[in-house]
Amino acid sequence: MDSNKPHPFSVRQLLNLVLCTLVLLNCSVQAEEFYEAELLFPLESWHNHGSCIVQCPNGDLLACWFHGSGERQADDVEILGARKTSGSSTWSKPFSMADTPGFPDTNCCMIIDPEERLWLLWPTIQANLWESALMKYKTSTNYTQPDGPPAWDLMSVLHVKHPGDFPEQVRTKALEYAGKARETELVKAWVNIITRQAEDKLTRRIGWFTRAHPLILDDGRMLVGLYSDGFSFSLVAITDDLGKTWTFSEPIVGGGNIQPSFAQKNDGTIVAYMRDNGPPPKRVLVSESSDRGETWSKVTDHPVLNNPGSGLELMRARNGDWLCVYNDMTDGRHSLAVSISHDEGETWPATRHLELRQSDEGSFHYPSIIEDEDGHFHVTYSYFIHTDQYGEKVGKGIKHAVFNREWILSDE
């Protein structure tokens, strides 16, 4: 044997070398962070707020939001949309998605159902008060064209009719939430007020509207989170036949728990995270359902996640992680964060900020989040810059950010 000749690798050694190389390469790929962001359109003085984003079956991104000279007080408010076609680096010019002439259309959300129909859900504000909201929805099977709005196949009103003895449900759940404080005069007054509201048929049937993505369960049931500013609590609209018929959950009653967003646990439990419009401490508010959204547990404060009285979104990723996008403080909307949980919301070990500014610089809020077919996360949110470096007013827009899991986990 020639001692100067290199000793050949055995098959086992060669295999080990290849496997080690693949592991190292895979780790390097997984460790690479990715984040990009851009405005859907230049900042403007018009009010642009309350966005939602979906990915279409052809890979396009579709966003919607409401736009006008104000919110419920202005009659020129409409739902606008924009599309980012697959492979494009820019968003289309905004186009009209819904417009009720002479009435404000607000708080829109979208979902694509198992039959690949696009849903747009939103309220028309009938008397310039949130309490006068009338829920509507549209569906489309033709929404992937490169230009212009979807071609709508159907538009309908989502009439809210509560099951059972709604006033008694409201009263019982309010007392359960109050606990030992139920004997105080303030709580007694609150319970009496919302019970009287619930006893009025018109009051309990209007004023409900959307904010976050609906949730579609494995069996096709769709849960649409609704809330009322008049009652300052939430409930769920349920359809098992993709909108042909609707039922409604019992009310989810707490101290200002509105704008529910959902995720489902491995055991089937559905968890709702809600905006906190109640008294301090300001936390994300939580309720759970073990019967596919029909009844809900007592509303509680989340032990970790703050909320200043601002919209949020919760989602379950395909690998089982949960993500929450929210204003991570108890006061103000100048910090917008995304947090990730590996144990279905028990702990949230990693957080990254989409925006982190001084309180007088801007507001960044009402986020919407999805996971695309490549495993990237997309968030749209209201992007309000109050003043520039010279103290001049700047404007409002909708911002889109896309990032991967590694970008969030770099904080873990």
Side-chain angles (χ1 to χ4, degrees):
M1 185 173 181
D2 187 350
S3 60
N4 294 322
K5 221 173 176 182
H7 192 277
F9 282 112
S10 69
V11 173
R12 183 183 296 275
Q13 289 173 317
L14 183 60
L15 179 59
N16 286 338
L17 181 60
V18 169
L19 289 174
C20 288
T21 303
L22 289 174
V23 168
L24 289 171
L25 286 173
N26 188 48
C27 288
S28 66
V29 170
Q30 289 181 345
E32 186 176 350
E33 299 176 28
F34 171 77
Y35 169 88
E36 290 180 354
E38 78 279 326
L39 291 170
L40 272 63
F41 50 88
L43 295 178
E44 56 186 27
S45 60
W46 291 90
H47 189 59
N48 294 286
H49 193 32
S51 67
C52 186
I53 186 170
V54 294
Q55 185 177 39
C56 304
N58 66 347
D60 292 354
L61 297 174
L62 184 64
C64 68
W65 65 97
F66 65 90
H67 161 93
S69 57
E71 282 194 9
R72 62 193 181 278
Q73 303 90 349
D75 289 336
D76 61 358
V77 183
E78 63 178 316
I79 308 300
L80 294 185
R83 180 183 288 104
K84 190 174 188 179
T85 57
S86 181
S88 174
S89 60
T90 59
W91 287 84
S92 72
K93 290 183 179 180
F95 45 75
S96 181
M97 295 271 278
D99 184 18
T100 308
F103 293 85
D105 295 299
T106 66
N107 272 42
C108 48
C109 68
M110 296 185 293
I111 195 73
I112 295 175
D113 70 23
E115 295 183 0
E116 295 191 345
R117 291 188 304 170
L118 171 71
W119 290 64
L120 172 70
L121 304 99
W122 82 100
T124 296
I125 311 305
Q126 301 177 95
N128 300 109
L129 298 168
W130 289 131
E131 293 88 336
S132 68
L134 179 67
M135 268 304 304
K136 298 177 178 179
Y137 63 92
K138 290 180 175 181
T139 62
S140 173
T141 55
N142 183 11
Y143 54 91
T144 58
Q145 63 271 27
D147 298 306
W152 300 106
D153 304 317
L154 172 140
M155 189 184 82
S156 185
V157 172
L158 179 53
H159 293 287
V160 178
K161 187 175 182 180
H162 306 282
D165 188 345
F166 187 71
E168 182 57 31
Q169 290 176 349
V170 169
R171 181 176 183 82
T172 299
K173 283 185 161 287
L175 291 171
E176 178 190 23
Y177 175 78
K180 294 180 180 179
R182 68 176 63 188
E183 297 303 323
T184 65
E185 293 304 315
L186 186 61
V187 169
K188 287 180 180 179
W190 168 62
V191 172
N192 288 336
I193 288 171
I194 61 174
T195 301
R196 285 199 301 270
Q197 286 178 308
E199 289 169 347
D200 183 81
K201 185 178 288 187
L202 179 61
T203 301
R204 67 176 180 254
R205 289 185 175 181
I206 65 171
W208 300 96
F209 53 109
T210 45
R211 215 307 287 177
H213 285 106
L215 175 69
I216 298 179
L217 306 183
D218 289 342
D219 61 3
R221 168 172 280 196
M222 182 162 72
L223 308 181
V224 179
L226 301 177
Y227 74 100
S228 163
D229 263 13
F231 285 107
S232 201
F233 59 67
S234 299
L235 57 77
V236 183
I238 303 170
T239 178
D240 291 307
D241 50 20
L242 297 178
K244 293 178 183 177
T245 59
W246 293 90
T247 58
F248 297 88
S249 75
E250 66 178 19
I252 312 173
V253 182
N257 57 295
I258 64 172
Q259 301 178 354
S261 181
F262 307 114
Q264 189 173 26
K265 293 183 176 182
N266 289 329
D267 66 3
T269 301
I270 300 166
V271 180
Y273 279 12
M274 293 166 284
R275 167 178 169 173
D276 185 351
N277 261 18
K282 304 288 275 187
R283 293 281 192 271
V284 170
L285 297 174
V286 184
S287 183
E288 296 187 354
S289 172
S290 58
D291 56 8
R292 302 166 64 241
E294 296 180 14
T295 63
W296 292 84
S297 69
K298 176 182 175 182
V299 175
T300 59
D301 286 353
H302 195 283
V304 176
L305 301 181
N306 293 324
N307 184 269
S310 180
L312 58 94
E313 266 216 333
L314 175 69
M315 70 159 291
R316 178 190 174 105
R318 285 194 294 272
N319 77 338
D321 286 344
W322 287 18
L323 285 82
C324 186
V325 191
Y326 62 112
N327 296 111
D328 60 327
M329 50 180 53
T330 58
D331 184 30
R333 301 181 179 185
H334 50 284
S335 176
L336 182 66
V338 54
S339 296
I340 192 166
S341 172
H342 310 302
D343 52 15
E344 300 185 324
E346 293 297 319
T347 60
W348 296 85
T351 297
R352 288 295 298 266
H353 284 90
L354 299 166
E355 303 286 348
L356 184 58
R357 309 287 187 95
Q358 297 298 315
S359 59
D360 60 348
E361 291 181 341
S363 297
F364 316 99
H365 46 158
Y366 273 54
S368 175
I369 184 170
I370 60 168
E371 182 181 15
D372 70 18
E373 58 189 6
D374 297 321
H376 291 147
F377 300 102
H378 296 260
V379 175
T380 58
Y381 55 95
S382 301
Y383 184 82
F384 297 178
I385 298 297
H386 301 328
T387 57
D388 62 16
Q389 58 182 325
Y390 305 107
E392 299 293 328
K393 291 184 178 180
V394 179
K396 299 179 179 181
I398 302 297
K399 195 170 184 179
H400 166 237
V402 55
F403 48 88
N404 60 5
R405 184 174 277 100
E406 286 70 32
W407 181 76
I408 310 171
L409 293 178
S410 64
D411 179 63
E412 190 170 17

